[in-house]
Amino acid sequence: MSKTTLAIIAGISAAAGSAATAALYASRSPRKDSPTSTGSSTPTSTFPSAPPPAPLPTPLRKDLIPPVNPTGVFQYGFPGPVNDLRPTMSTTSSFDRRTRNPAWVAEHITPASLSANNADRHHSIFVEDETIPEKFRAKLHDYFRSGYDRGHQVPAADAKWSQHALDQTFLLTNMCPQVGEGFNRDYWAHFEDFCRRLTNHYPSVRIVTGPLYLPKRDHEDGKWRVSYEVIGNPPNVSVPTHFYKVIFAEDGKTGGDVSLGAFVLPNAKIDTEKPLQSFEVPIEAIERASGLEFAGKLPAQRRKRLCEQVTCSLLVRDYAERHKNLMGAPPPKSLGAGSPPTQRAP
């Protein structure tokens, strides 16, 4: 991956995320040495040349007995970091205790799993995940009047095959604060629908979704900084600047081809006219930004580019009608005084 690509993925801002991700995709070729403009709100520049590698540390002498024992601190406990692996019937996730958000949430959908309709989301409620230690978990009141939706990473509509499976998608370990109008209830929802429609072409689709906290270049001094809101009282839950999805569309054959798709979207209102493919990025860009690895065991000869195999585009529908078709007619609205706003489930 070129330095230009890394510079641009670092500079994607929530305000100009669509333009920046489009520039990132356009500049993936390692032959391009100059940065692609991402609009006036997020100027970019290539990073300076990497410094020479640091010298390797001198190996410990076998005949030298250290007078200290730093690992002795473990007698009092392991400081961490601890990433809580959280498997459920419908998801598998790793929880980030520092941000009170998942680092990633994985799901698996098939034509059979999506065709089953054995659950009703109106019987589900948002709940705190008690498997996470109390002082590290996200709380329901953190979201109250925050201005953000409790945004599903794995949508409830993907787990209609069981009421229990659907209920588990409402755990707060499957949530991140998301902009509601224009994103969670609109573009992001259409993106989730695109993922479901992939099962029309593939017998097995695996999706990993999660938050990103990307730097933005300061116009005053030209330096890159990571800045994001934290909600709750006291402030507990970090508000991601962006979200990613990594898609593995499997052909169903043992050792068969896997069509890979990687997308980064800003946590901001996005015009539904914006092409989905403008948010496509190299999977390495997400790995670099998140510190995660997604396809290290997938050989290059089995990899296909998803958007070369299928048309990567949204099917934009009216949200209320789409919600009704997916989850059944909504119940009558009856909010009591002081009740938190209703939020979408898919």
Side-chain angles (χ1 to χ4, degrees):
M1 190 180 356
S2 68
K3 294 178 182 176
T4 304
T5 297
L6 298 179
I8 295 175
I9 190 63
I12 300 176
S13 70
S18 59
T21 30
L24 167 64
Y25 174 64
S27 63
R28 291 187 301 170
S29 171
R31 294 174 295 177
K32 295 185 180 180
D33 297 320
S34 60
T36 303
S37 173
T38 61
S40 59
S41 60
T42 313
T44 61
S45 62
T46 53
F47 289 159
S49 300
L56 295 175
T58 304
L60 291 175
R61 289 169 43 191
K62 294 182 178 180
D63 61 340
L64 179 62
I65 301 176
V68 295
N69 177 23
T71 59
V73 72
F74 294 159
Q75 67 184 299
Y76 307 116
F78 177 67
V82 175
N83 293 308
D84 300 276
L85 189 63
R86 182 65 170 102
T88 72
M89 292 179 66
S90 48
T91 69
T92 296
S93 65
S94 178
F95 186 75
D96 184 341
R97 294 182 174 187
R98 183 179 62 86
T99 64
R100 272 71 169 179
N101 287 322
W104 54 266
V105 189
E107 62 171 314
H108 181 212
I109 55 177
T110 67
S113 72
L114 294 181
S115 64
N117 190 6
N118 302 319
D120 184 348
R121 60 92 49 197
H122 302 125
H123 299 315
S124 302
I125 58 173
F126 293 94
V127 291
E128 297 173 11
D129 193 333
E130 295 184 355
T131 67
I132 306 300
E134 192 274 338
K135 64 181 177 181
F136 296 124
R137 77 175 70 129
K139 312 289 180 57
L140 289 170
H141 63 73
D142 289 330
Y143 284 86
F144 182 57
R145 292 182 177 173
S146 68
Y148 292 96
D149 284 4
R150 293 164 288 196
H152 283 71
Q153 301 303 280
V154 168
D158 291 2
K160 295 186 298 176
W161 47 270
S162 158
Q163 184 65 48
H164 185 52
L166 188 146
D167 289 346
Q168 289 180 318
T169 67
F170 283 82
L171 289 167
L172 290 191
T173 43
N174 185 42
M175 305 293 159
C176 289
Q178 288 187 326
V179 170
E181 185 177 355
F183 185 64
N184 182 45
R185 307 170 206 166
D186 295 284
Y187 202 98
W188 185 255
H190 301 314
F191 186 21
E192 292 171 337
D193 177 67
F194 162 78
C195 294
R196 283 188 285 272
R197 287 188 288 113
L198 287 174
T199 59
N200 295 331
H201 305 277
Y202 299 93
S204 172
V205 178
R206 303 180 191 275
I207 307 163
V208 183
T209 304
L212 291 173
Y213 309 87
L214 298 183
K216 179 180 179 181
R217 192 174 187 183
D218 191 288
H219 293 289
E220 298 296 327
D221 58 17
K223 295 181 179 180
W224 298 84
R225 293 181 174 86
V226 177
S227 176
Y228 52 84
E229 187 178 350
V230 182
I231 62 173
N233 185 20
N236 287 304
V237 182
S238 301
V239 180
T241 63
H242 294 73
F243 289 93
Y244 69 83
K245 279 188 182 291
V246 177
I247 301 171
F248 304 82
E250 303 167 342
D251 67 5
K253 302 174 183 177
T254 303
D257 292 338
V258 179
S259 296
L260 279 176
F263 302 84
V264 173
L265 282 68
N267 188 12
K269 184 176 181 179
I270 303 175
D271 191 330
T272 54
E273 297 298 317
K274 188 71 179 176
L276 175 60
Q277 205 163 336
S278 66
F279 296 108
E280 186 188 14
V281 300
I283 191 172
E284 295 84 3
I286 298 178
E287 292 177 333
R288 178 72 178 254
S290 66
L292 306 172
E293 288 189 304
F294 299 98
K297 294 184 178 181
L298 181 62
Q301 61 268 25
R302 293 181 57 197
R303 300 188 186 197
K304 302 289 184 181
R305 183 181 156 214
L306 179 66
C307 293
E308 288 180 347
Q309 308 303 311
V310 298
T311 301
C312 289
S313 63
L314 301 183
L315 180 60
V316 178
R317 302 170 180 169
D318 176 74
Y319 172 74
E321 184 64 25
R322 187 192 67 83
H323 188 276
K324 178 179 178 181
N325 291 338
L326 285 175
M327 308 304 288
K333 187 180 295 186
S334 58
L335 293 179
S339 298
T342 57
Q343 310 204 4
R344 79 171 192 90

